[in-house]
Amino acid sequence: MKQVKKLNTPRSNLFAWFVVLAAVLAYGGHARAGTVTLCVDKSSAAAPMDTRLAQAVARHEGATLALHRFDGAGDGDDGLGAKDFHRLAAQCDLVLGFPVDAGAHGAPMPGLHATRAYGHTGFVLVTPRGKGWTSLASLPAGSRVAVTYQTTPNIYLADHPKLAADVQLDDAATLKALQSRKDVAAMLWRPTVVSQLGERGLEQHYDMHELDESHARFDLVALYDDAHAEAAKAFEQAVAAMAASGELAQTLAPYAQPGAALTAVAGAKSAERRVFGAARTRHAADRRCAANARAGKSRKPARVPTLYTQAQADIGKAKFLENCSRCHGRDLGGMAGPALKGANFASAASHFHVGDIFTIVSQNMPATQPGSLPKDDYVEIMAFLLQENGYPAGSTALTFDQAKQSKVDFIYRGQ
Ligand code: HEC
């Protein structure tokens, strides 16, 4: 009793208060004087969301915000590469708004770390409001769906043979095809829909639904390097507090929703590929996902199926030289177009199927005249691409439909 009484003397109280006050000053003073530097991609359709998030995080940390707005579109067609992201991560505490395919594994950017996912977004089905079409499967047979040339949603249609693709050259044209009622639905990157409809004041006329397809759902993370681990921790704490109060949902809407992507949909097990990327669609987001694919290491699967005949591959070679080599190189090493051979092209991490690659080839190539070759030519060229990537020839010929539907993994097997 006496002890307690003694501790409660005014003098020791004063001392206790002093300790608390010093702690508050040290912490608060540091935070107030501190600056958090956050990188935001100004070329991204989601830039307004990223900026709001940066402001909210700084407020929660009691820090001054230094916003570094970089141009994710880069100078070239390919957007930023790993080197650019390393430079950004050194300049900023965190690089916000990096989308990662929900089914991807491994580090989204080699050599950098990612925070826990704070939101999710992706490719959505856009339909006129109130139609009740929530997925590709729910669209009436024969429906035309607008989709942008060389974007991921092109591959979804391979699984929905009753729908017709209306391939447009860019996202604005895709949205226009929907607006003019030429098509009943469109598939686009959610932030793009939000910004383009917003600009035209048309949000209330359309519904957006998350697509239940492979490579449609993306988690949003912030990237950082070794030197900024503390900043990443503070960021995650701020985000957790915002999630608890509902502020996060408000900050991300309508570009994204809080939390990680709910489901990695059946079959959605991979990182994004460069090709679907954005050279032409200008989704900085898409472009960045390329790095995901490149981050993966290639592995040799146990069983190698035979999918085509040697005769097909031989004709395919000639057709390739005639129609493809001026952009992809005579040795498939890449020139104006990317390499079509090797671990970078066909990596295990990207988890693409033969059918996915064939869809690109038959629908989008040659880049100057997509879909212009006879069906057989595409099949034979595909046989040649398989051979060049280490797939053995067999006794059964590949057909157009088989190629299109093939779920065999397309992974470089060395030679
Ligand atoms: C005029 C140039 C050009 C021609 C001709 C051309 N391509 Fe392409 N191809 C490209 C470009 C550019 C890309 C990359 C597109 C992008 O990233 O936006 C590409 C991408 C591809 C991809 C995806 C590569 C990856 O990394 O995922 C494949 C497969 C492909 N082309 C196959 C072909 C085939 C087969 C032919 C011949 C039938 C062909 N291309 C003809 C320019 C061309």
Side-chain angles (χ1 to χ4, degrees):
M1 273 311 252
K2 243 185 175 175
Q3 275 302 91
V4 172
K5 194 94 189 152
K6 202 175 171 196
L7 278 173
N8 273 339
T9 61
R11 202 173 146 239
S12 38
N13 258 351
L14 200 66
F15 178 73
W17 274 113
F18 175 73
V19 169
V20 169
L21 191 67
V24 166
L25 279 177
Y27 178 75
H30 167 76
R32 234 175 290 131
T35 300
V36 57
T37 308
L38 298 175
C39 276
V40 165
D41 179 358
K42 65 179 176 189
S43 77
S44 158
M49 169 186 78
D50 294 338
T51 305
R52 275 202 309 263
L53 180 66
Q55 289 161 342
V57 163
R59 205 164 49 236
H60 272 265
E61 293 180 13
T64 307
L65 172 64
L67 197 62
H68 178 58
R69 290 161 60 81
F70 66 97
D71 184 0
D75 301 330
D77 251 7
D78 265 349
L80 301 188
K83 225 190 253 162
D84 302 302
F85 276 100
H86 279 260
R87 203 176 318 119
L88 288 169
Q91 276 173 341
C92 298
D93 289 313
L94 294 138
V95 185
L96 300 195
F98 193 89
V100 183
D101 193 321
H105 39 76
M109 182 65 72
L112 295 181
H113 310 285
T115 61
R116 273 198 298 276
Y118 54 81
H120 65 99
T121 191
F123 291 100
V124 289
L125 184 71
V126 194
T127 60
R129 176 133 306 173
K131 290 283 188 189
W133 296 322
T134 56
S135 63
L136 288 177
S138 71
L139 290 172
S143 296
R144 283 162 59 96
V145 182
V147 59
T148 310
Y149 176 57
Q150 283 188 354
T151 53
T152 313
N154 279 285
I155 65 172
Y156 310 155
L157 288 163
D159 291 331
H160 298 274
K162 281 189 252 157
L163 303 176
D166 181 21
V167 183
Q168 300 290 325
L169 278 178
D170 57 35
D171 291 338
T174 300
L175 210 52
K176 212 161 148 204
L178 176 65
Q179 247 178 286
S180 66
R181 299 181 181 256
K182 189 169 160 238
D183 301 325
V184 301
M187 294 189 287
L188 288 158
W189 182 246
R190 180 182 187 123
T192 304
V193 181
V194 169
S195 83
Q196 298 211 359
L197 288 180
E199 273 168 25
R200 299 172 214 181
L202 292 171
E203 307 98 311
Q204 73 279 15
H205 298 299
Y206 294 92
D207 287 326
M208 265 190 300
H209 292 282
E210 290 190 342
L211 278 157
D212 245 9
E213 305 289 336
S214 304
H215 316 295
R217 299 186 177 200
F218 287 74
D219 285 329
L220 294 172
V221 301
L223 298 179
Y224 62 97
D225 66 10
D226 285 335
H228 295 98
E230 281 300 313
K233 213 184 285 168
F235 174 87
E236 287 186 336
Q237 278 164 8
V239 164
M242 287 169 63
S245 70
E247 186 186 353
L248 185 63
Q250 265 174 3
T251 307
L252 302 182
Y255 298 91
Q257 289 164 268
L262 303 175
T263 34
V265 194
K269 45 183 174 160
S270 94
E272 186 56 279
R273 285 177 63 81
R274 179 161 39 111
V275 61
F276 301 118
R280 286 168 221 305
T281 63
R282 305 194 195 296
H283 298 314
D286 268 11
R287 249 179 266 123
R288 289 181 231 153
C289 299
N292 301 345
R294 281 180 287 232
K297 294 179 207 75
S298 125
R299 88 188 127 79
K300 283 197 183 189
R303 205 172 53 83
V304 185
T306 59
L307 299 167
Y308 63 92
T309 63
Q310 187 57 45
Q312 285 183 305
D314 290 345
I315 308 172
K317 179 173 185 179
K319 302 242 161 97
F320 179 88
L321 292 174
E322 194 181 317
N323 297 293
C324 320
S325 64
R326 68 196 156 95
C327 293
H328 293 283
R330 291 179 71 81
D331 60 354
L332 291 80
M335 286 162 63
L340 298 182
K341 171 180 178 168
N344 260 355
F345 167 57
S347 81
S350 29
H351 271 297
F352 273 79
H353 301 135
V354 170
D356 298 331
I357 301 297
F358 188 70
T359 300
I360 306 172
V361 171
S362 60
Q363 210 164 279
N364 295 333
M365 292 294 137
T368 39
Q369 279 172 298
S372 61
L373 302 183
K375 279 188 169 183
D376 284 350
D377 289 17
Y378 283 121
V379 175
E380 285 146 6
I381 289 171
M382 192 66 204
F384 174 62
L385 291 183
L386 284 165
Q387 178 156 66
E388 288 290 305
N389 282 282
Y391 288 73
S395 52
T396 319
L398 184 66
T399 67
F400 190 90
D401 289 340
Q402 275 167 5
K404 192 125 192 175
Q405 280 148 27
S406 173
K407 298 287 180 200
V408 171
D409 284 333
F410 197 96
I411 301 170
Y412 180 62
R413 284 147 213 279
Q415 268 181 342

